[in-house]
Amino acid sequence: MTPDPAFMEAAIALSFEAMNSNRGGPYGAVVVKDGVIIGRGMNEVTSLNDPTAHAELTAIRQACATLNSWRLDGCELYTSCEPCPMCMAAVYWAQLDRVYYSNTREDAARYGFNSQAIYDDLARDRDSRKIAMHPPLPSKAITAFDAWANKHDREV
């Protein structure tokens, strides 16, 4: 499928809006379904004091609300920069069909936005990561998974 430059321009315009309004860094994103923008987002991390308020997540949340669904299959994400690991995880969870981006993660790193460090750390063994991870009550927590497995009206 060929990307539509108008949608990328919309995402880039949102990146300027985020920066110029001091809402966050220079990132913007739109979610498109059937040729229509159904979700828009800009980086609002610093203005909302929310490290998850990335442009892609904001656009995905809005698109999900528009469709009244947590699944975005049949949709495309246009974003001004290659998504960070958190945003890429959301792309997978939302089941978007494809992602179009302009700036690369290498471009972002040159300007002080270094998500590559997160990509690298996540690729390490759990015991070798920068942030320590410990499972204190695995036998108790597994009971929730057991209950889920037996739930007849679950959505997967």
Side-chain angles (χ1 to χ4, degrees):
M1 180 150 248
T2 305
D4 185 329
F7 296 132
M8 187 55 72
E9 288 174 13
I12 293 168
L14 286 165
S15 74
F16 276 96
E17 185 178 339
M19 180 184 55
N20 292 333
S21 64
N22 292 320
R23 291 168 95 171
Y27 295 90
V30 296
V31 175
V32 176
K33 182 170 179 82
D34 299 327
V36 176
I37 295 175
I38 60 167
R40 297 173 192 274
M42 66 179 76
N43 185 287
E44 297 181 275
V45 169
T46 56
S47 61
L48 296 178
N49 294 315
D50 178 355
T52 70
H54 287 203
E56 297 89 342
L57 291 182
T58 304
I60 287 170
R61 289 176 184 137
Q62 192 177 96
C64 288
T66 298
L67 296 180
N68 195 31
S69 175
W70 60 273
R71 292 183 178 171
L72 295 177
D73 48 314
C75 296
E76 302 170 329
L77 176 69
Y78 286 79
T79 181
S80 62
C81 188
E82 183 177 358
C84 74
M86 175 180 66
C87 293
M88 272 311 300
V91 165
Y92 280 98
W93 285 114
Q95 302 174 22
L96 286 145
D97 287 1
R98 66 189 49 80
V99 175
Y100 299 110
Y101 62 91
S102 285
N103 295 322
T104 66
R105 64 176 115 163
E106 294 84 9
D107 295 331
R110 283 197 308 274
Y111 290 88
F113 302 103
N114 191 5
S115 57
Q116 187 62 49
I118 299 170
Y119 277 105
D120 293 344
D121 201 50
L122 288 174
R124 290 186 179 98
D125 181 277
R126 278 191 294 263
D127 296 332
S128 302
R129 291 183 188 154
K130 179 181 172 183
I131 297 176
M133 296 179 65
H134 305 282
L137 298 172
S139 61
K140 282 210 164 200
I142 202 71
T143 60
F145 281 163
D146 290 339
W148 175 257
N150 294 316
K151 190 174 179 351
H152 297 292
D153 61 344
R154 68 180 187 243
E155 248 188 89
V156 270

